[in-house]
Amino acid sequence: MLDQAALRTLFPTRDDIPAQHRRAAPLHQRVTLVGGALQPWTGDTVPVVSPVRIRDDSGNLTPVVLGSVPQGGVAEAEAALAAATAAYDSGRGAWPTMTVADRIACMRDFTMRMVARRAEVVELLMWEIGKSFADSEKEFDRTVDYIRATIDALRDLDNASSRFVIAEGTIGQIRRTPLGVVLCMGPYNYPLNETFATLIPALIMGNTLLFKPPRFGVLLFAPLLEAFAAAFPKGVLNTVYGKGEVVVPYLLGSGAVNTLTLIGSSKVADHLKKLHPKANRLRAILGLDAKNAAIVLPDADLDLAVKECLLGALSFNGQRCTALKMLMVHSAIVDAFLRRFVAELAKLKVGMPWQAGVNITPLPEPDKVAYMRQCVDDALARGARVVNDGGGTSCDTLFYPAVVYPVREGMKLYREEQFGPVVPVMAFDDVATALDYVITSEHGQQVSIFSSSPEQIGTLVDPLVNQVCRVNINCQCQRGPDIFPFTGRKDSAEGTLSVTDALRSFSIRSMIAAKQTNASKKLLDDIVQQHESKFIHTGFIF
Ligand code: G3H
């Protein structure tokens, strides 16, 4: 029987923690990276607390303090902004004017230094957000792969631009150039990967950066600060710590930020964009809310649908923007679906992130368990029930997944993005009802459809691709592979991310143009032959 007491015993005593995962001592980060050097920090700090609790002999649970990080204010944000602005120097700085080949060399150097700190970063990632050790390792490795793929993509992009184009008597050369100062803010659920999915392309395109780490998953960047300082010219990347509501309005209100990249909520993004004094000058690359639905049709392979929906709804406790957050199942099969779904869910392993094969782990947001409870209670009060044994049982930061059925319009779970281990299920009779749910949603990221009928799939795909940006056929929603475009409609995104799209998102095409005269030809030829410009050249990066 799964109850609160049983969940409590899943938290470890000190001795239960395997030796290789024990924290020898808290990590108190007392530096920031501003203007190219690690600056000693003597100001306020905030503790970094793990979602893992330690259980004593009486069963009391104590939070694990992992360390602390600087808590900056407006003055520190101002210094970071000044450093980023100086490094950009209105496009004249060493970094924005550096050749692509040299920027690539810096990024390779950074990657090598980053890989050397893998063990520390992975361990902090696991402890800070409760992501399983295996998934934390995957997140690190996927990020390194992403950086390498980005380097290759930029090399190809630049090589394709290493030529002149002649049209209507005009000679042109077109290349992608940086935008200026980029403010980069990542999410806590993929603190390393999603942050770097914007930070790395923004950097490599020649922008200078203000980097504000996520609220949870902040200490894991400490081992990388030296790598940033060593690999890039002065002021190219500057850290900003402190309360978002204090420092971010200052940065955007200054008008000196050219690009905002944020993986977070649409409410915050809407608010932030309005703070820039010249809205037209601010480019925004945003990954925002999502409430991806699965539509399970009567002729679906039920085992496959159950497996994918379970993965889609509960990987990393449902804390993925791409998670399936509403399961719509045809009424002819909903009972069978639910029976199998809860049976499979019961096999998921609940425990601590270092345990092999663990699926459900402690939640990092302090108020998350209470919010999960509210969502479930609201649905129960409006006629739904929890259909899995022990669903919704919680103890401190552990919340055992609740499958809630039938979810209807008017319940919180119908529209709110729960971003956690609660699985709302509703039944439908007519496929138009399922389609209507997607059409009337405020979100438009992805959808999954489960059917074995070419006709049904074909009929559903055509309207759905105009509502969301990825329709997954007989599989869960997800971002990867990273070469595919990752974006969304409505409140789900602005701009597109993928290895190649991100390079475009963080740059703009600029060109030189000259009349096709003999004088121009000679001039351009001399510039190329004498290597007079880093922009006008025909060099090839191998
Ligand atoms: O949180 C949103 C992530 O981008 C999802 O990525 O589908 O690879 O888990 P994923």
Side-chain angles (χ1 to χ4, degrees):
M1 159 84 179
L2 185 99
D3 57 12
Q4 195 183 56
L7 282 184
R8 183 175 297 267
T9 61
L10 298 177
F11 286 106
T13 63
R14 267 184 211 289
D15 294 342
D16 290 337
I17 304 171
Q20 69 272 30
H21 294 300
R22 276 183 211 154
R23 303 293 303 154
L27 173 60
H28 295 296
Q29 184 190 324
R30 291 294 177 269
V31 288
T32 59
L33 174 57
V34 177
L38 296 182
Q39 310 282 354
W41 179 262
T42 51
D44 292 346
T45 58
V46 268
V48 176
V49 181
S50 171
V52 171
R53 304 290 187 248
I54 300 292
R55 182 168 45 86
D56 67 16
D57 293 343
S58 323
N60 298 318
L61 301 176
T62 315
V64 180
V65 178
L66 300 172
S68 56
V69 289
Q71 169 85 310
V74 166
E76 289 79 15
E78 203 175 347
L81 178 61
T85 309
Y88 194 68
D89 192 17
S90 304
R92 294 166 298 186
W95 186 242
T97 56
M98 193 179 274
T99 63
V100 168
D102 286 346
R103 269 194 244 133
I104 285 176
C106 291
M107 192 58 84
R108 286 211 171 105
D109 181 29
F110 171 75
T111 313
M112 205 187 63
R113 292 170 190 274
M114 174 178 169
V115 169
R117 310 301 291 263
R118 180 180 187 272
E120 292 157 84
V121 175
V122 167
E123 203 59 26
L124 284 165
L125 181 52
M126 179 191 81
W127 275 99
E128 276 192 271
I129 62 163
K131 184 170 280 191
S132 75
F133 182 66
D135 283 349
S136 298
E137 286 187 304
K138 255 191 242 161
E139 178 164 344
F140 188 95
D141 296 340
R142 178 181 176 182
T143 307
V144 172
D145 289 345
Y146 188 92
I147 300 176
R148 293 190 171 131
T150 299
I151 289 173
D152 290 349
L154 177 57
R155 184 199 55 209
D156 294 347
L157 184 69
D158 198 66
N159 282 342
S161 308
S162 269
R163 56 191 284 269
F164 292 97
V165 184
I166 300 176
E168 297 173 30
T170 303
I171 307 171
Q173 184 167 30
I174 309 159
R175 287 186 187 279
R176 297 203 74 91
T177 55
L179 299 165
V181 174
V182 176
L183 170 59
C184 172
M185 294 187 284
Y188 79 80
N189 62 332
Y190 278 90
L192 181 70
N193 181 265
E194 289 242 283
T195 303
F196 275 23
T198 56
L199 184 147
I200 296 295
L203 256 186
I204 206 167
M205 290 313 289
N207 301 285
T208 59
L209 265 85
L210 293 162
F211 165 46
K212 184 176 180 314
R215 194 154 60 107
F216 312 105
V218 49
L219 210 44
L220 65 93
F221 291 101
L224 300 180
L225 296 184
E226 280 168 24
F228 277 119
F232 298 105
K234 194 172 134 191
V236 166
L237 184 127
N238 306 280
T239 52
V240 177
Y241 298 95
K243 287 195 175 130
E245 62 270 30
V246 175
V247 294
V248 179
Y250 162 74
L251 292 170
L252 286 165
S254 72
V257 170
N258 305 96
T259 304
L260 166 67
T261 182
L262 161 79
I263 313 286
S265 84
S266 61
K267 215 168 118 193
V268 169
D270 284 350
H271 170 67
L272 294 183
K273 282 173 69 176
K274 288 183 194 129
L275 299 175
H276 197 286
K278 293 206 174 192
N280 62 302
R281 291 197 188 181
L282 182 71
R283 182 179 288 194
I285 315 295
L286 311 170
L288 305 172
D289 329 327
K291 179 88 175 172
N292 294 343
I295 302 174
V296 188
L297 296 170
D299 60 359
D301 172 338
L302 215 48
D303 287 335
L304 177 71
V306 163
K307 178 175 153 266
E308 289 291 320
C309 286
L310 192 66
L311 268 177
L314 290 174
S315 297
F316 190 37
N317 310 304
Q319 300 168 119
R320 292 162 61 225
C321 62
T322 47
L324 287 172
K325 298 185 181 111
M326 169 61 83
L327 307 184
M328 290 188 279
V329 187
H330 194 275
S331 48
I333 53 159
V334 70
D335 291 340
F337 177 91
L338 281 172
R339 255 195 320 277
R340 292 192 206 189
F341 191 86
V342 301
E344 289 305 311
L345 193 161
K347 295 178 192 165
L348 296 184
K349 183 168 169 181
V350 188
M352 293 303 114
W354 51 78
Q355 292 171 335
V358 73
N359 304 101
I360 303 298
T361 54
L363 305 173
E365 288 175 286
D367 46 0
K368 200 46 165 291
V369 166
Y371 174 65
M372 294 290 98
R373 187 74 263 148
Q374 260 179 37
C375 288
V376 173
D377 287 348
D378 169 77
L380 298 187
R382 292 167 202 274
R385 40 185 221 288
V386 172
V387 298
N388 60 318
D389 282 346
T393 305
S394 66
C395 178
D396 208 303
T397 51
L398 269 177
F399 186 94
Y400 187 71
V403 182
V404 182
Y405 173 79
V407 168
R408 293 199 182 88
E409 182 137 34
M411 297 176 180
K412 263 173 162 334
L413 281 172
Y414 189 74
R415 288 298 187 195
E416 278 184 31
E417 180 185 15
Q418 66 272 33
F419 212 80
V422 174
V423 188
V425 183
M426 62 180 264
F428 65 90
D429 291 316
D430 183 350
V431 97
T433 310
L435 191 53
D436 190 58
Y437 177 81
V438 179
I439 292 171
T440 52
S441 171
E442 296 294 328
H443 307 105
Q445 191 197 66
Q446 300 189 17
V447 74
S448 287
I449 50 179
F450 293 91
S451 167
S452 49
S453 152
E455 186 201 337
Q456 285 279 18
I457 292 175
T459 311
L460 262 180
V461 161
D462 290 355
L464 283 172
V465 288
N466 294 341
Q467 286 298 325
V468 297
C469 288
R470 173 161 162 168
V471 178
N472 300 279
I473 300 169
N474 292 322
C475 56
Q476 62 150 324
C477 298
Q478 63 179 41
R479 198 182 85 202
D482 288 327
I483 57 148
F484 286 156
F486 180 54
T487 184
R489 299 167 187 269
K490 300 189 229 177
D491 286 347
S492 285
E494 185 171 337
T496 302
L497 293 174
S498 77
V499 169
T500 49
D501 287 299
L503 295 176
R504 293 192 155 80
S505 294
F506 291 102
S507 61
I508 189 163
R509 281 181 304 171
S510 197
M511 63 178 290
I512 56 101
K515 289 257 160 42
Q516 193 185 5
T517 60
N518 287 339
S520 296
K521 285 183 209 165
K522 170 147 187 4
L523 194 62
L524 289 172
D525 198 37
D526 286 350
I527 294 173
V528 170
Q529 297 303 331
Q530 295 162 28
H531 304 288
E532 299 292 354
S533 166
K534 290 173 190 153
F535 186 98
I536 305 173
H537 72 86
T538 54
F540 197 88
I541 310 170
F542 291 98

